[in-house]
């Protein structure tokens, strides 16, 4: 699984990317925080990387596009299978202003085990990982763990089980987008 499949374009400027991840069950607070942070990070020239999942991922991709920025979606299935299916139009827009990326060949279904590999790639594509919100047991934490183990900075917004736990474990606190921009 060393090959990456790509639709769209990956540019040299995408080396300046930040992963934005969090709960599929996004709260209203999470929507507001995701929009606030992604808008500022996109306007600062960073590419937003996420996993095209429901919740934080979808809001992050949409907000990056609305801000005129670039975004990369890493899939846990083949590029011919958009999961979740309600994100097909979003995926089409991402291809025009960024890229869809997958380590899986066409026809690969979105099996649960695939999302751990996806999370590793999300982390490795990024200068830092921002965790918006999440539950204590979630896939979001696997992305943060991959990043931390690779020496990639992990930022967390206080106020949810996952982010408060990450901060206890040494993640950088992100109260404003400036907290991230000053550190990367």
């Amino acid at each position: 699984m060393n090959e990456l499949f790509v639709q769209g374009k990956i540019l040299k400027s995408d080396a300046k990317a930040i992963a934005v991840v969090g709960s599929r069950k996004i709260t209203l607070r999470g929507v507001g925080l995701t929009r606030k942070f992604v808008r500022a990070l996109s306007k600062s020239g960073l590419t937003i990387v996420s996993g095209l999942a429901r919740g934080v991922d979808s809001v992050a991709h949409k907000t990056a596009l609305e801000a005129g920025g670039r975004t990369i979606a890493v899939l846990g299935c083949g590029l011919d299978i958009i999961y979740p299916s309600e994100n097909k139009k979003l995926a089409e827009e991402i291809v025009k202003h960024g890229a869809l990326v997958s380590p899986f060949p066409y026809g690969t279904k979105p099996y649960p085990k695939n999302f751990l590999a996806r999370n590793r790639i999300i982390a490795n594509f990024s200068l830092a990982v921002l965790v918006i919100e999440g539950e204590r047991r979630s896939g979001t934490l696997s992305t943060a763990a991959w990043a931390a183990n690779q020496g990639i900075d992990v930022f967390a917004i206080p106020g949810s089980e996952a982010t408060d736990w990450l901060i206890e474990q040494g993640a950088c606190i992100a109260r404003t987008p400036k907290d991230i921009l000053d550190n990367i």
Side-chain angles (χ1 to χ4, degrees):
M1 196 169 40
N2 292 329
E3 185 176 7
L4 286 179
F5 301 89
V6 178
Q7 281 183 4
K9 290 187 180 162
I10 296 178
L11 306 177
K12 286 184 182 181
S13 62
D14 294 330
K16 290 179 62 177
I18 183 162
V20 178
V21 298
S23 180
R24 285 181 169 87
K25 298 174 186 171
I26 193 169
T27 64
L28 282 176
R29 176 181 180 267
V31 170
L33 289 169
T34 304
R35 288 182 177 154
K36 172 185 172 181
F37 276 79
V38 169
R39 194 175 301 115
L41 297 169
S42 291
K43 296 232 182 248
S44 295
L46 293 170
T47 297
I48 304 301
V49 180
S50 201
L52 198 66
R54 292 177 181 99
V56 169
D57 293 15
S58 295
V59 174
H61 292 303
K62 288 174 188 170
T63 304
L65 294 170
E66 290 165 4
R70 288 186 51 79
T71 187
I72 295 172
V74 183
L75 307 183
C77 52
L79 293 176
D80 57 329
I81 301 172
I82 301 302
Y83 179 81
S85 60
E86 70 253 24
N87 280 343
K88 284 185 179 177
K89 288 224 182 295
L90 176 57
E92 290 169 9
E93 285 303 307
I94 291 170
V95 169
K96 295 177 192 171
H97 305 282
L100 299 179
V101 176
S102 176
F104 303 104
Y106 283 80
T108 303
K109 291 184 169 53
Y111 298 116
K113 66 179 181 174
N114 295 357
F115 293 97
L116 291 175
R118 177 202 68 177
N119 293 345
R120 177 179 51 84
I121 293 167
I122 289 170
N124 287 336
F125 246 99
S126 308
L127 296 173
V129 171
L130 170 63
V131 181
I132 302 287
E133 66 178 1
E135 297 174 3
R136 176 61 184 90
R137 291 180 51 83
S138 70
T140 298
L141 295 179
S142 76
T143 308
W146 277 110
N149 289 335
Q150 297 299 313
I152 298 166
D153 287 333
V154 176
F155 291 87
I157 300 172
S160 75
E161 287 180 5
T163 56
D164 291 347
W165 184 82
L166 285 168
I167 291 165
E168 287 174 15
Q169 301 305 308
C172 303
I173 296 172
R175 288 193 173 86
T176 68
K178 188 176 184 317
D179 295 331
I180 298 167
L181 293 168
D182 286 349
N183 281 292
I184 59 171

